[in-house]
Amino acid sequence: MNVEQWKEIFMNAGSFILGLIFACGQLYTVIKLKKQEKKSNEKEAASKHYGKAIKEENQYAMQIQTELEELRQALNADRAQVLEFHNGTNFSTRKGYRLDCTYETLKYGNESVKGLLKDYPTTMLPTFMNKIIDDKQYFVQDVEDISKCDMSTYAMKLNMHVGAFYDIALEANGMPVGVLAVQYTGPKELTEDDIAMLHAKKIIIEELLK
């Protein structure tokens, strides 16, 4: 082959290579756009999922708060709370159960004590926990009655300015997962109808917590 033929071969090869490079560039751009579109769609789907989940959770929270306030008003209590158990860890890395006040309603003039019940170790309330686990409830008409026999619960309730309390276990599959707590700033004796109302609200709140 002469020089002109070689030139033509190299020019055709060069054109082919440039075309291939251009085609690869376009393919890369298409793939990149597809990935961006997929990522965008996933983000949009995730935002819709979380948005829906948050909306549903908030609806349940509002229902629980409403039921709790209805109970507080019906029993003319100073405070009503939902306490929920959760897992924590202590200094020796063993699992340790704790409780949080997740819902609270108050009579006007009373202060919130949710901050006092944040990650509260259940090991600091052995008698209280035994009552909730074994008896499914812990009713005290006058907190001074337990000042010597249950000093840990007495100290906690006194710190919350509680004079009487009616705490009942919230259960799931027959096991306690929390506490429905009704509190008064002074001594208080509830009637049988009051106790029946407390048990009825317990069942409703248990369903809402599932």
Short mmCIF file of all heavy atoms in Angstrom, two decimals, residues 154-177:
data_model
loop_
_atom_site.label_atom_id
_atom_site.label_comp_id
_atom_site.label_asym_id
_atom_site.label_seq_id
_atom_site.Cartn_x
_atom_site.Cartn_y
_atom_site.Cartn_z
N TYR A 154 -41.13 5.81 97.53
CA TYR A 154 -41.50 6.98 98.33
C TYR A 154 -40.66 8.19 97.94
O TYR A 154 -41.19 9.29 97.71
CB TYR A 154 -41.32 6.67 99.81
CG TYR A 154 -41.55 7.85 100.73
CD1 TYR A 154 -42.83 8.32 100.98
CD2 TYR A 154 -40.46 8.48 101.36
CE1 TYR A 154 -43.03 9.41 101.83
CE2 TYR A 154 -40.66 9.55 102.21
CZ TYR A 154 -41.94 10.02 102.45
OH TYR A 154 -42.14 11.10 103.29
N ALA A 155 -39.35 7.99 97.81
CA ALA A 155 -38.45 9.09 97.46
C ALA A 155 -38.75 9.63 96.06
O ALA A 155 -38.76 10.85 95.84
CB ALA A 155 -37.00 8.63 97.55
N MET A 156 -39.00 8.71 95.11
CA MET A 156 -39.30 9.14 93.74
C MET A 156 -40.60 9.93 93.69
O MET A 156 -40.67 11.01 93.09
CB MET A 156 -39.41 7.94 92.81
CG MET A 156 -39.74 8.32 91.37
SD MET A 156 -40.10 6.91 90.28
CE MET A 156 -41.71 6.39 90.89
N LYS A 157 -41.64 9.41 94.33
CA LYS A 157 -42.94 10.07 94.31
C LYS A 157 -42.90 11.41 95.04
O LYS A 157 -43.51 12.39 94.61
CB LYS A 157 -44.01 9.17 94.93
CG LYS A 157 -44.23 7.86 94.18
CD LYS A 157 -44.83 8.08 92.80
CE LYS A 157 -45.19 6.77 92.13
NZ LYS A 157 -45.76 6.95 90.78
N LEU A 158 -42.16 11.44 96.14
CA LEU A 158 -42.04 12.69 96.91
C LEU A 158 -41.34 13.75 96.08
O LEU A 158 -41.70 14.94 96.12
CB LEU A 158 -41.27 12.43 98.21
CG LEU A 158 -41.60 13.36 99.40
CD1 LEU A 158 -43.06 13.20 99.80
CD2 LEU A 158 -40.68 13.05 100.57
N ASN A 159 -40.32 13.34 95.33
CA ASN A 159 -39.59 14.26 94.46
C ASN A 159 -40.49 14.83 93.37
O ASN A 159 -40.23 15.91 92.83
CB ASN A 159 -38.39 13.54 93.83
CG ASN A 159 -37.40 14.49 93.20
OD1 ASN A 159 -37.17 15.59 93.71
ND2 ASN A 159 -36.79 14.09 92.11
N MET A 160 -41.56 14.09 93.03
CA MET A 160 -42.51 14.52 92.02
C MET A 160 -43.72 15.23 92.64
O MET A 160 -44.69 15.53 91.95
CB MET A 160 -42.99 13.30 91.21
CG MET A 160 -41.89 12.64 90.39
SD MET A 160 -42.32 10.94 89.89
CE MET A 160 -43.87 11.18 89.07
N HIS A 161 -43.65 15.46 93.96
CA HIS A 161 -44.73 16.13 94.71
C HIS A 161 -46.03 15.34 94.62
O HIS A 161 -47.12 15.90 94.45
CB HIS A 161 -44.95 17.56 94.20
CG HIS A 161 -43.70 18.38 94.17
ND1 HIS A 161 -43.05 18.80 95.32
CD2 HIS A 161 -42.97 18.84 93.12
CE1 HIS A 161 -41.97 19.49 94.98
NE2 HIS A 161 -41.89 19.53 93.67
N VAL A 162 -45.91 14.01 94.74
CA VAL A 162 -47.06 13.12 94.68
C VAL A 162 -47.49 12.74 96.09
O VAL A 162 -46.67 12.31 96.90
CB VAL A 162 -46.73 11.85 93.86
CG1 VAL A 162 -47.87 10.83 93.94
CG2 VAL A 162 -46.46 12.21 92.41
N GLY A 163 -48.79 12.89 96.39
CA GLY A 163 -49.32 12.52 97.70
C GLY A 163 -50.06 11.20 97.68
O GLY A 163 -50.18 10.53 98.70
N ALA A 164 -50.58 10.84 96.50
CA ALA A 164 -51.27 9.56 96.31
C ALA A 164 -51.10 9.15 94.85
O ALA A 164 -51.02 10.00 93.97
CB ALA A 164 -52.74 9.67 96.68
N PHE A 165 -51.03 7.84 94.61
CA PHE A 165 -50.86 7.41 93.22
C PHE A 165 -51.56 6.08 92.97
O PHE A 165 -51.70 5.24 93.87
CB PHE A 165 -49.38 7.30 92.84
CG PHE A 165 -48.57 6.31 93.63
CD1 PHE A 165 -48.45 4.99 93.20
CD2 PHE A 165 -47.91 6.69 94.80
CE1 PHE A 165 -47.70 4.06 93.92
CE2 PHE A 165 -47.16 5.76 95.53
CZ PHE A 165 -47.05 4.46 95.08
N TYR A 166 -52.00 5.93 91.73
CA TYR A 166 -52.67 4.72 91.26
C TYR A 166 -52.01 4.33 89.95
O TYR A 166 -52.33 4.87 88.89
CB TYR A 166 -54.17 4.97 91.10
CG TYR A 166 -54.86 5.25 92.42
CD1 TYR A 166 -54.81 6.52 92.99
CD2 TYR A 166 -55.50 4.23 93.11
CE1 TYR A 166 -55.40 6.77 94.22
CE2 TYR A 166 -56.10 4.47 94.34
CZ TYR A 166 -56.05 5.74 94.89
OH TYR A 166 -56.63 5.98 96.11
N ASP A 167 -51.05 3.42 90.03
CA ASP A 167 -50.25 2.99 88.87
C ASP A 167 -50.66 1.58 88.47
O ASP A 167 -50.73 0.68 89.31
CB ASP A 167 -48.76 3.03 89.20
CG ASP A 167 -48.27 4.45 89.46
OD1 ASP A 167 -49.04 5.40 89.23
OD2 ASP A 167 -47.12 4.62 89.91
N ILE A 168 -50.90 1.39 87.18
CA ILE A 168 -51.36 0.11 86.68
C ILE A 168 -50.52 -0.32 85.48
O ILE A 168 -50.13 0.53 84.67
CB ILE A 168 -52.86 0.19 86.32
CG1 ILE A 168 -53.43 -1.19 85.99
CG2 ILE A 168 -53.12 1.18 85.21
CD1 ILE A 168 -54.95 -1.20 85.92
N ALA A 169 -50.21 -1.61 85.39
CA ALA A 169 -49.33 -2.11 84.33
C ALA A 169 -49.99 -1.99 82.95
O ALA A 169 -51.16 -2.33 82.79
CB ALA A 169 -48.94 -3.55 84.60
N LEU A 170 -49.22 -1.53 81.98
CA LEU A 170 -49.60 -1.59 80.58
C LEU A 170 -48.92 -2.82 79.99
O LEU A 170 -47.71 -2.98 80.15
CB LEU A 170 -49.15 -0.32 79.84
CG LEU A 170 -49.86 0.97 80.25
CD1 LEU A 170 -49.15 2.18 79.64
CD2 LEU A 170 -51.32 0.95 79.83
N GLU A 171 -49.70 -3.68 79.34
CA GLU A 171 -49.15 -4.97 78.92
C GLU A 171 -49.26 -5.20 77.41
O GLU A 171 -50.11 -4.62 76.74
CB GLU A 171 -49.89 -6.09 79.66
CG GLU A 171 -49.72 -6.05 81.16
CD GLU A 171 -50.52 -7.13 81.86
OE1 GLU A 171 -51.76 -7.07 81.81
OE2 GLU A 171 -49.90 -8.04 82.45
N ALA A 172 -48.37 -6.07 76.94
CA ALA A 172 -48.42 -6.56 75.57
C ALA A 172 -48.10 -8.05 75.64
O ALA A 172 -47.07 -8.45 76.20
CB ALA A 172 -47.40 -5.84 74.69
N ASN A 173 -49.00 -8.88 75.12
CA ASN A 173 -48.83 -10.35 75.18
C ASN A 173 -48.67 -10.83 76.62
O ASN A 173 -47.89 -11.75 76.90
CB ASN A 173 -47.64 -10.79 74.34
CG ASN A 173 -47.79 -10.41 72.88
OD1 ASN A 173 -48.87 -10.56 72.31
ND2 ASN A 173 -46.72 -9.90 72.28
N GLY A 174 -49.39 -10.18 77.53
CA GLY A 174 -49.36 -10.60 78.92
C GLY A 174 -48.16 -10.15 79.72
O GLY A 174 -48.03 -10.48 80.91
N MET A 175 -47.26 -9.39 79.10
CA MET A 175 -46.05 -8.92 79.78
C MET A 175 -46.08 -7.40 79.92
O MET A 175 -46.53 -6.70 79.01
CB MET A 175 -44.81 -9.34 78.99
CG MET A 175 -44.64 -10.84 78.86
SD MET A 175 -44.52 -11.68 80.47
CE MET A 175 -42.94 -11.04 81.04
N PRO A 176 -45.61 -6.88 81.07
CA PRO A 176 -45.63 -5.43 81.27
C PRO A 176 -44.65 -4.71 80.34
O PRO A 176 -43.50 -5.11 80.21
CB PRO A 176 -45.20 -5.27 82.73
CG PRO A 176 -44.44 -6.51 83.05
CD PRO A 176 -45.07 -7.59 82.24
N VAL A 177 -45.13 -3.69 79.67
CA VAL A 177 -44.28 -2.87 78.79
C VAL A 177 -44.25 -1.41 79.24
O VAL A 177 -43.52 -0.60 78.69
CB VAL A 177 -44.76 -2.95 77.33
CG1 VAL A 177 -44.59 -4.35 76.78
CG2 VAL A 177 -46.21 -2.49 77.19
#
